[in-house]
């Protein structure tokens, strides 16, 4: 999960407490389930919070379900 999160840290911060591009909610403190659901929604193209849908779809496009679960678990622990 930590290795996969390296791609996310640029916008969400190493500690997950940064609002991505000043728009998205910090990921730290969210549950694994909520994070995984959000990432799957972005990957499917059905989620577009704060206009970040297309950007996030590109970020998670290559993540399989196991990677989404692992990175969500890691983020939930931040």
């Amino acid at each position: 999960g930590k290795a996969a999160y390296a791609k996310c840290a640029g916008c969400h911060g190493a500690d997950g407490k940064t609002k991505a591009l000043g728009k998205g909610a910090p990921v730290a403190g969210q549950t694994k389930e909520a994070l995984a659901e959000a990432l799957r929604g972005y990957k499917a193209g059905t989620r577009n919070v704060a206009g970040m849908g297309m950007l996030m779809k590109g970020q998670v496009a290559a993540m399989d379900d196991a990677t989404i679960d692992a990175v969500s678990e890691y983020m939930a622990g931040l």
Side-chain angles (χ1 to χ4, degrees):
K2 184 176 184 177
Y5 183 74
K7 183 177 186 178
C8 312
C11 291
H12 290 286
D15 61 1
K17 296 179 180 174
T18 301
K19 284 186 166 191
L21 303 178
K23 299 177 184 181
V27 294
Q30 295 187 43
T31 66
K32 175 188 173 186
E33 294 76 17
L35 291 162
E37 180 181 341
L39 291 176
R40 287 188 173 94
Y42 283 124
K43 183 174 180 176
T46 58
R47 184 176 177 91
N48 184 27
V49 174
M52 303 298 282
M54 290 306 292
L55 175 73
M56 283 298 299
K57 184 175 182 174
Q59 292 289 3
V60 299
M63 290 186 181
D64 59 17
D65 282 339
T67 303
I68 288 174
D69 288 340
V71 77
S72 296
E73 186 169 345
Y74 177 77
M75 289 188 294
L78 292 174

